[in-house]
Amino acid sequence: MSDKRNIQDQKRRLLAEKFELRRKLYKAFTKDTDLPNDVREKHRCKLAALPRNSSFTRVMNRCVFTGRAHAVYKMFRVSRIVFRDLASRGLLQGVKKASW
Amino acid sequence: MSSSSLRSLLAQAAVRGVAEARAHVFGHVLNPTGQRSAHKILRKKFIGEKVASWYPDDIQKEDPMVVQRKEQERLSKLEMLKRRGKGPPKKGQGKKAQKRNK
């Protein structure tokens, strides 16, 4: 819950949220073919000057309990191990073992 | 032959007119030639808030008693180590710094 990696990830998420609007704006300017080339270039430099941690691609959905980066389900925000644990104890509403 | 092409021309013109009128009414952005446009980037919704609220807030952080107790434990542990002589070294005396200075 307070892993080092989780804290770093949270920092990245906050930065990404803060710079989101600006980032989209610069990118849109860059990709617009109707603008003159030097304007596009200027905006591309501005986009590159933004902090790297403000990119959404750097954000990783980690497990909220253990901090595991792989096999994390978005619906529950937990990794597969914790999911199995919780579901077996009946703590997840409406989740039961499948058999059909 | 020419009558069918005339008819198709008229049909095309009618469809184009309808599309333009619809865009004018609803405020859509038209791109009949299909050129690259920045509209594709601008029409997506914002996801920042959803992304930032992935980790739930830790309720233990709000309780001052718990916070104080944890801080006290950390300090006492540090003191114990220092008493044994195992605390952190001064700045510039660590392993890497020694190697660098030597």
Side-chain angles (χ1 to χ4, degrees):
Chain A
M1 285 209 216
S2 53
D3 287 338
K4 179 174 76 156
R5 296 249 156 77
N6 278 15
I7 297 173
Q8 284 179 340
D9 191 50
Q10 175 68 353
K11 208 164 60 153
R12 286 194 189 110
R13 281 171 190 271
L14 293 176
L15 271 183
E17 186 195 10
K18 182 173 155 201
F19 284 98
E20 181 189 16
L21 179 70
R22 250 181 278 183
R23 211 178 181 92
K24 252 173 113 96
L25 202 68
Y26 292 158
K27 187 163 176 200
F29 268 120
T30 314
K31 297 250 176 175
D32 196 356
T33 46
D34 298 330
L35 295 175
N37 263 353
D38 57 341
V39 171
R40 289 173 77 178
E41 180 77 25
K42 188 172 75 119
H43 282 282
R44 193 167 60 80
C45 295
K46 275 186 161 178
L47 184 63
L50 287 179
R52 280 205 183 151
N53 277 341
S54 63
S55 163
F56 282 113
T57 51
R58 283 190 148 217
V59 157
M60 184 84 193
N61 286 344
R62 288 193 170 259
C63 169
V64 156
F65 284 85
T66 52
R68 194 158 198 267
H70 288 290
V72 180
Y73 287 97
K74 278 200 220 177
M75 199 187 281
F76 305 96
R77 305 188 203 166
V78 288
S79 79
R80 58 177 174 88
I81 307 165
V82 182
F83 171 78
R84 186 172 180 274
D85 204 21
L86 291 176
S88 305
R89 298 223 293 255
L91 297 173
L92 296 174
Q93 185 74 297
V95 174
K96 63 182 206 173
K97 283 184 73 107
S99 66
W100 70 95
Chain B
M1 306 170 292
S2 67
S3 71
S4 70
S5 70
L6 194 62
R7 212 181 314 154
S8 67
L9 272 179
L10 281 176
Q12 274 176 16
V15 164
R16 224 179 311 137
V18 165
E20 277 177 20
R22 178 174 49 217
H24 183 73
V25 166
F26 293 110
H28 295 163
V29 168
L30 265 190
N31 192 355
T33 49
Q35 280 180 326
R36 284 196 186 181
S37 154
H39 187 242
K40 193 161 100 163
I41 303 171
L42 292 172
R43 74 175 172 213
K44 283 182 89 167
K45 297 201 175 69
F46 286 146
I47 51 169
E49 194 170 322
K50 203 168 133 188
V51 159
S53 55
W54 174 264
Y55 297 104
D57 289 325
D58 196 8
I59 47 168
Q60 285 193 345
K61 288 208 173 76
E62 285 161 32
D63 189 3
M65 298 278 290
V66 170
V67 162
Q68 211 178 36
R69 187 160 54 91
K70 285 211 159 130
E71 185 66 23
Q72 204 68 351
E73 281 176 10
R74 186 185 76 97
L75 288 172
S76 57
K77 187 164 142 186
L78 204 64
E79 219 173 310
M80 260 200 302
L81 289 173
K82 274 201 197 149
R83 232 183 301 139
R84 287 194 347 224
K86 303 257 180 199
K90 273 180 70 160
K91 189 121 182 154
Q93 309 288 338
K95 261 183 14 189
K96 244 192 185 166
Q98 296 273 14
K99 230 194 271 184
R100 206 184 320 141
N101 291 341
K102 206 176 25 163

